[in-house]
Amino acid sequence: MYNIGQYIPGNSPVHRLDPRVKIILLVILSIFIFRADLTVSALTTAFYIIVIAVSRLGFLRVIKSLKPAAVFFAFLFLIHLFFTEGTPVFSFLPQYVSITFEGLHRGILYTWRFILLVLSASVLTMTTRPSGLVSGIERLLRPLNFTGISSHDTAMMISLALRFVPTLLEETQKIKEAQAARGANISSGSIFYKIKSAAALAMPLLVNSCRRVDELADAMEGRGYQRGPRTYMYELQLTRLDYAALLIGFILVFAACAYKYF
Amino acid sequence: MIKAENLFYLYDKNSSPVLKDINLDIQQGEYTAVIGPNGCGKSTLVKHFNGLLFPANGSVQVDGINTTDSSSIHQVRQKVGMIFQNPDNQVVAMTVEEDVAFGPGNLKLPPGEIQKRIYEAMETAGISKYAQHPPHNLSGGEKQLLALAGILAMHPSYIILDEPTSSLAPDERQKVARLLQQLHKKGITIIHITHNMDEIVHADRIIVMESGKIFLEGPPGEVFSRVDELKKIGIGPPKITELMWQLKKAGIDVSTSILTVEDACKEIASKVNTHV
């Protein structure tokens, strides 16, 4: 379940890019995507096809990673399709429900943008080691240290949260099995019943997590953890590849500004 | 040396003390086992040794440093490493190597030194082949070896283990136990809490705790031969020691401070031969 955008080890140039550079490029691209028309969406898509090919992630795998968001894509598309006013192209129950040309255009554009945004995040996490992401975020947040937001603490929190995702999923599974073994029926029944049984699942999970937190805190303190600066086994270092990628990113931004794209 | 003097501890002011006037010296290089029934205070005691808990009264010193001296707590935690029962709740990172690097990172060592140390530590613990793996894919025993590697990378003088093998499969228990003996031979002081008596027959000293006090103390042969007293507080000595004790009770004059099957065979054989 949790392999949504899970890191796929590799040694492609995309993998080797410094996480900081990838995060910055992701932000730039996201801004582009937010403002994209159909042409820019097509260009961005072409860009990602190249990126995915270069990083050898496999198209099928990347598309699969978008699957969990498919419902939202469909929802977004339908909302725009049916609720945009304009020239009707097709209508049933005239006056009430009609598909307009504008709706179709908007539906496609907005869904496409949304897919591209999710795809961007997915490509980032699939080509970047989670710890790399965390240290990238830590370094990018360092300028904020004077505001009282500690970049090291933030990085530690993110990293612990990510670390415990598989552990908590495993535990959820165990609790489910334990409840099923005592006659609980989780997989069928009405939606209300399902919500109720989810609550029955959440409580033991929460209690166990609190216990875990106590032990984890002891283990971390015992290993000399203190708030504030620490050192890491890998220090991030920008290479030529990184500078080149950054340069291309900034050229894009300047070009866009020059053409009054923003 | 870890030295506890007149150590008292209570969880809150109105409760009765969990530790009552403990006096204890643990010498450098010793293999000390701590046993006792649940709730006797053994975990509470060892948590004082690396400054996770502080005495309500009395003091704990590690190599002369008082654990309540907050300016030196970092040093105490570098010297005294601690392994807990549940391996899952000790892992902080998303890959094995980075988890091992957590302690050295906390010591603010430079990256080069961290890398050198973690590869040594993973080698010693026998988990080098998992360096890049996510820890949640490891077995319970491997996770415990990972926890040990994480401590070893901090170059400790003392390692405390609080029931490290209680959730492990038998073959994995042995792996961990073997590593502990190997570390002990290298001169690291081991303080090992356990319910499994067979793991600690080779210890230098056994401390039996009961209701927050030291109940018995001495070398394994001596402590385990006092079967009556141990049984009174709900501790079963190793089966082989109990066998010898029962034989003696039945009138066969054998030594009761025997801990291994081999020694038991020799002892019984020598008695049988003299009878024939």
Side-chain angles (χ1 to χ4, degrees):
Chain A
M1 239 314 257
Y2 54 87
N3 40 21
I4 306 161
Q6 201 184 27
Y7 174 61
I8 316 274
N11 197 26
S12 72
V14 186
H15 282 84
R16 282 192 318 242
L17 267 185
D18 189 291
R20 285 172 288 179
V21 173
K22 280 193 261 195
I23 294 169
I24 292 172
L25 291 180
L26 176 85
V27 172
I28 295 176
L29 263 169
S30 302
I31 296 169
F32 267 87
I33 291 168
F34 265 119
R35 312 251 334 174
D37 55 17
L38 287 174
T39 324
V40 176
S41 297
L43 284 174
T44 317
T45 310
F47 169 73
Y48 273 119
I49 290 174
I50 296 169
V51 168
I52 294 166
V54 170
S55 57
R56 296 196 198 90
L57 290 175
F59 288 96
L60 201 67
R61 192 146 48 176
V62 176
I63 290 166
K64 266 192 190 156
S65 79
L66 298 179
K67 227 171 89 185
V71 181
F72 296 102
F73 298 149
F75 188 62
L76 194 67
F77 180 70
L78 292 176
I79 289 262
H80 285 292
L81 193 62
F82 287 116
F83 294 96
T84 314
E85 287 183 9
T87 355
V89 181
F90 173 80
S91 59
F92 43 98
L93 295 172
Q95 290 178 340
Y96 294 111
V97 187
S98 59
I99 295 170
T100 60
F101 176 73
E102 285 80 358
L104 195 63
H105 177 261
R106 264 210 203 179
I108 291 175
L109 182 60
Y110 285 11
T111 314
W112 197 350
R113 283 183 189 170
F114 194 52
I115 293 176
L116 284 173
L117 281 176
V118 178
L119 181 70
S120 311
S122 205
V123 167
L124 174 72
T125 54
M126 285 171 103
T127 58
T128 317
R129 198 185 289 289
S131 55
L133 271 184
V134 172
S135 46
I137 292 170
E138 191 269 311
R139 284 302 291 272
L140 289 173
L141 285 181
R142 260 186 216 181
L144 289 182
N145 274 348
F146 79 94
T147 62
I149 301 169
S150 158
S151 59
H152 290 278
D153 296 347
T154 313
M156 193 72 228
M157 280 190 272
I158 298 173
S159 141
L160 281 176
L162 289 175
R163 135 84 185 93
F164 274 95
V165 169
T167 309
L168 292 182
L169 281 172
E170 216 170 89
E171 188 153 317
T172 310
Q173 196 55 38
K174 268 189 207 158
I175 296 172
K176 265 189 192 168
E177 280 164 13
Q179 290 180 347
R182 283 174 288 160
N185 189 353
I186 302 162
S187 49
S188 61
S190 73
I191 180 98
F192 295 107
Y193 181 76
K194 273 190 187 166
I195 290 172
K196 256 191 191 167
S197 58
L201 194 64
M203 220 8 140
L205 196 62
L206 189 68
V207 172
N208 283 353
S209 302
C210 290
R211 195 171 310 139
R212 264 181 208 288
V213 167
D214 274 347
E215 283 185 40
L216 180 71
D218 267 353
M220 286 174 65
E221 252 189 77
R223 284 162 82 181
Y225 180 73
Q226 284 181 328
R227 291 189 59 183
R230 48 187 315 225
T231 53
Y232 300 90
M233 71 179 287
Y234 299 120
E235 284 292 313
L236 297 177
Q237 221 150 33
L238 293 173
T239 62
R240 267 192 217 146
L241 185 71
D242 297 312
Y243 287 116
L246 271 183
L247 192 67
I248 294 171
F250 285 124
I251 289 175
L252 264 175
V253 173
F254 283 125
C257 291
Y259 282 97
K260 304 225 166 80
Y261 181 69
F262 290 128
Chain B
M1 186 173 78
I2 296 181
K3 191 179 182 70
E5 278 178 312
N6 307 107
L7 169 59
F8 278 86
Y9 184 78
L10 8 86
Y11 277 104
D12 65 78
K13 271 182 192 148
N14 303 318
S15 64
S16 61
V18 188
L19 296 177
K20 299 165 196 158
D21 200 17
I22 304 261
N23 285 287
L24 190 63
D25 283 353
I26 293 170
Q27 302 295 332
Q28 179 79 53
E30 221 183 334
Y31 195 124
T32 309
V34 184
I35 60 175
N38 285 329
C40 67
K42 47 193 194 305
S43 297
T44 311
L45 174 66
V46 298
K47 277 186 181 170
H48 280 82
F49 295 163
N50 76 338
L52 286 178
L53 293 176
F54 302 108
N57 223 325
S59 72
V60 174
Q61 284 172 21
V62 176
D63 292 345
I65 306 168
N66 199 315
T67 57
T68 48
D69 176 3
S70 56
S71 62
S72 313
I73 193 70
H74 227 62
Q75 243 176 309
V76 170
R77 293 195 173 138
Q78 180 271 316
K79 281 173 188 290
V80 188
M82 185 139 178
I83 309 280
F84 296 87
Q85 181 178 4
N86 186 335
D88 263 323
N89 299 346
Q90 305 174 59
V91 178
V92 297
M94 288 166 281
T95 59
V96 166
E97 56 173 13
E98 284 169 66
D99 189 67
V100 180
F102 179 72
N106 289 336
L107 298 176
K108 300 187 182 70
L109 299 170
E113 174 69 13
I114 295 182
Q115 284 173 26
K116 202 183 111 215
R117 283 189 179 201
I118 67 171
Y119 286 108
E120 271 170 18
M122 286 192 291
E123 200 58 47
T124 311
I127 52 166
S128 303
K129 57 176 181 287
Y130 302 123
Q132 309 281 336
H133 289 222
H136 65 91
N137 288 348
L138 302 183
S139 74
E142 286 160 347
K143 278 182 201 159
Q144 236 14 333
L145 293 173
L146 164 62
L148 262 166
I151 296 296
L152 287 175
M154 296 176 77
H155 290 182
S157 322
Y158 307 87
I159 299 181
I160 300 172
L161 303 104
D162 190 352
E163 297 186 36
T165 58
S166 61
S167 60
L168 307 186
D171 57 322
E172 299 201 303
R173 281 182 178 208
Q174 265 179 13
K175 241 190 228 170
V176 173
R178 259 203 305 274
L179 177 60
L180 290 182
Q181 286 179 51
Q182 191 188 325
L183 295 175
H184 177 231
K185 271 193 201 117
K186 278 189 188 167
I188 296 178
T189 313
I190 307 279
I191 301 164
H192 185 173
I193 296 185
T194 185
H195 284 293
N196 183 355
M197 305 304 150
D198 293 320
E199 270 176 5
I200 49 170
V201 292
H202 56 77
D204 295 319
R205 174 160 57 147
I206 295 198
I207 294 171
V208 187
M209 287 190 65
E210 215 270 317
S211 310
K213 284 183 181 155
I214 294 177
F215 180 73
L216 280 175
E217 193 181 347
E222 200 181 299
V223 168
F224 285 139
S225 65
R226 296 161 81 162
V227 176
D228 261 344
E229 285 163 87
L230 290 178
K231 283 200 160 175
K232 214 181 288 163
I233 61 164
I235 292 176
K239 284 283 166 279
I240 204 73
T241 314
E242 195 178 345
L243 172 71
M244 302 308 276
W245 183 76
Q246 294 286 4
L247 285 174
K248 186 159 188 171
K249 240 171 80 174
I252 302 169
D253 181 32
V254 287
S255 158
T256 53
S257 60
I258 277 169
L259 302 162
T260 63
V261 176
E262 283 163 28
D263 291 347
C265 284
K266 274 184 214 153
E267 177 79 6
I268 295 172
S270 71
K271 299 296 173 206
V272 171
N273 289 339
T274 52
H275 279 291
V276 172

